[in-house]
């Protein structure tokens, strides 16, 4: 691994492992953007098929949207008064959750370069309305762009669908060559522009312009780091699965024991403990993955922004053989 990528991953690991309070910010910030650019790209493209509808396209851009739409449809069957009150409560809760997530995202980005100075967690969640508004605008534009890209790709699949397996494979491969770069570009712009907004106080337009200059100059090292972060997140997910599997053995034994004893209280307590443990493991891994990814992107963006050129690993390989 080239020293640039190694130093980025090492810095991100040291920051997130030493300061585990960042995991809490990571859990909340992940509701807006996990920073996993390649993960989002593959997950969105995987949902595409000729049979998909507007709901599926919306789900590809905004996970959970389909569930909300179905719930709203069910609410339409009840009385108008109850429907209005329920929708009002949901909107208030969503707005509060969005504000909390945006504060956490800004706090996570702000904390990465300052966390070693011993600042308290509350210092990183105190932001101006301007910063939160800029982040909200960036998130909205990124999701809208991804939605349009997903819908456009889906329409292309419908129009170009072939009756042969080979034809469909070639069509999918061609659309993949178009979809992946544009999707990655949207992800890079949303993450790096957020860093510009929080750290440097830039507006959306200037933040995107500065991000574009860095991307066009150092796109290959950024692409390599994207792949590395994808495998790091994959390893973290595998670790979570292993932890759950190892926990399942004593958990099932305890549950069987509670069933044999015939104690309802013991059985419910075991079930509750198991559910809490699994949820806690999932949240911790999710929070660490988000914090680690943001830390890696921050350190990479800062270094690339201050360098005229960075030789990527692929460039070194080609130079060696050529």
């Amino acid at each position: 691994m080239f020293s640039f990528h190694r130093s980025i991953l090492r810095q991100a690991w040291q920051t997130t492992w030493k300061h585990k309070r960042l995991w809490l910010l990571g859990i909340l910030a992940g509701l807006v953007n996990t920073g996993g650019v390649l993960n989002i790209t593959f997950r969105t493209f995987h949902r595409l098929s000729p049979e998909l509808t507007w709901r599926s396209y919306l789900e590809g851009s905004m996970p959970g949207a389909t569930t909300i739409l179905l719930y709203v449809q069910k609410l339409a069957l009840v009385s108008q008064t109850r429907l209005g009150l329920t929708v009002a409560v949901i909107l208030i809760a969503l707005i509060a959750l969005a504000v909390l997530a945006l504060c956490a995202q800004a706090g996570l980005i702000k904390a990465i370069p300052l966390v070693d100075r011993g600042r308290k967690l509350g210092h990183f969640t105190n932001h101006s309305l301007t910063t939160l508004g800029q982040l909200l605008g960036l998130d909205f534009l990124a999701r809208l762009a991804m939605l349009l890209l997903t819908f456009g790709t889906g329409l292309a699949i419908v129009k170009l669908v072939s009756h042969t397996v080979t034809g469909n494979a070639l069509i999918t491969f061609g659309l993949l060559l178009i979809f992946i770069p544009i999707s990655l570009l949207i992800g890079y712009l949303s993450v790096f522009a957020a860093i510009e907004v929080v750290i440097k106080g830039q507006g959306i337009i200037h933040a995107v312009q500065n991000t574009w200059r860095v991307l066009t100059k150092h796109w290959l090292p950024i692409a390599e780091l994207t792949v590395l972060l994808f495998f790091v997140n994959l390893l973290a997910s595998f670790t979570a699965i292993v932890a759950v599997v190892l926990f399942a053995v004593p958990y099932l034994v305890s549950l069987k024991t509670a069933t044999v004893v015939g104690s309802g209280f013991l059985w419910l307590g075991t079930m509750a403990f198991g559910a809490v443990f699994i949820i806690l493991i999932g949240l911790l891994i999710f929070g660490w993955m988000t914090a680690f990814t943001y830390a890696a992107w921050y350190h990479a963006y800062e270094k690339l922004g201050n360098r005229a050129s960075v030789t990527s690993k692929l460039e070194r390989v080609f130079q060696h053989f050529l």
Side-chain angles (χ1 to χ4, degrees), residues 3-280:
S3 59
F4 170 75
H5 301 96
R6 186 166 55 247
S7 65
I8 294 299
L9 295 180
R10 183 174 60 250
Q11 284 182 288
W13 169 260
Q14 292 173 345
T15 300
T16 53
W17 187 253
K18 182 179 180 181
H19 305 282
K20 298 179 179 61
R21 52 183 173 168
L22 296 180
W23 299 11
L24 176 59
L25 294 175
I27 293 173
L28 297 174
L31 299 176
V32 178
N33 189 344
T34 62
V37 178
L38 195 58
N39 309 53
I40 297 174
T41 297
F42 285 156
R43 186 171 62 245
T44 304
F45 190 85
H46 179 70
R47 292 192 176 100
L48 292 175
S49 73
E51 292 78 19
L52 292 182
T53 61
W54 259 104
R55 288 183 181 177
S56 299
Y57 295 126
L58 189 62
E59 178 70 20
S61 178
M62 293 179 289
T66 301
T67 304
I68 295 176
L69 289 176
L70 291 174
Y71 186 65
V72 170
Q73 285 183 342
K74 292 182 179 180
L75 285 177
L77 300 177
V78 301
S79 65
Q80 294 298 315
T81 302
R82 184 178 177 183
L83 175 62
L85 290 175
T86 305
V87 170
V89 172
I90 292 176
L91 287 177
I92 293 174
L94 289 176
I95 292 173
L97 187 61
V99 172
L100 185 62
L102 288 172
C103 288
Q105 183 189 28
L108 181 59
I109 296 173
K110 187 178 180 180
I112 292 169
L114 300 176
V115 73
D116 290 323
R117 301 180 185 180
R119 303 288 182 88
K120 295 182 178 180
L121 189 62
H123 175 80
F124 305 123
T125 55
N126 184 21
H127 311 287
S128 67
L129 293 177
T130 302
T131 299
L132 296 181
Q134 300 283 2
L135 289 178
L136 179 61
L138 276 174
D139 182 63
F140 173 78
L141 292 175
R143 291 180 184 274
L144 178 62
M146 185 62 72
L147 176 61
L148 294 176
L149 176 63
T150 306
F151 185 66
T153 307
L155 286 179
I157 291 178
V158 173
K159 296 294 184 181
L160 301 176
V161 65
S162 173
H163 297 290
T164 64
V165 176
T166 304
N168 285 330
L170 291 175
I171 292 171
T172 302
F173 179 74
L175 291 175
L176 195 65
L177 293 179
I178 299 174
F179 180 88
I180 288 182
I182 299 177
S183 178
L184 290 176
L185 178 61
I186 295 172
Y188 293 143
L189 289 175
S190 64
V191 173
F192 292 150
I195 295 175
E196 286 276 348
V197 168
V198 176
I199 301 298
K200 301 181 181 180
Q202 299 284 357
I204 294 179
I205 296 178
H206 289 93
V208 172
Q209 289 175 342
N210 293 339
T211 299
W212 178 258
R213 281 194 290 268
V214 174
L215 285 174
T216 53
K217 185 183 298 184
H218 305 293
W219 66 272
L220 192 52
I222 292 175
E224 292 174 341
L225 182 59
T226 302
V227 176
L228 291 174
L229 288 176
F230 173 78
F231 283 107
V232 168
N233 288 336
L234 199 64
L235 180 61
S237 301
F238 179 75
T239 303
I241 294 174
V242 171
V244 172
V245 170
L246 293 177
F247 170 76
V249 176
Y251 170 72
L252 292 176
V253 172
S254 301
L255 194 62
K256 181 65 175 180
T257 303
T259 303
V260 172
V261 172
S263 173
F265 178 78
L266 181 61
W267 187 85
L268 288 175
T270 305
M271 287 287 291
F273 177 78
V276 170
F277 178 83
I278 293 175
I279 293 174
L280 183 61

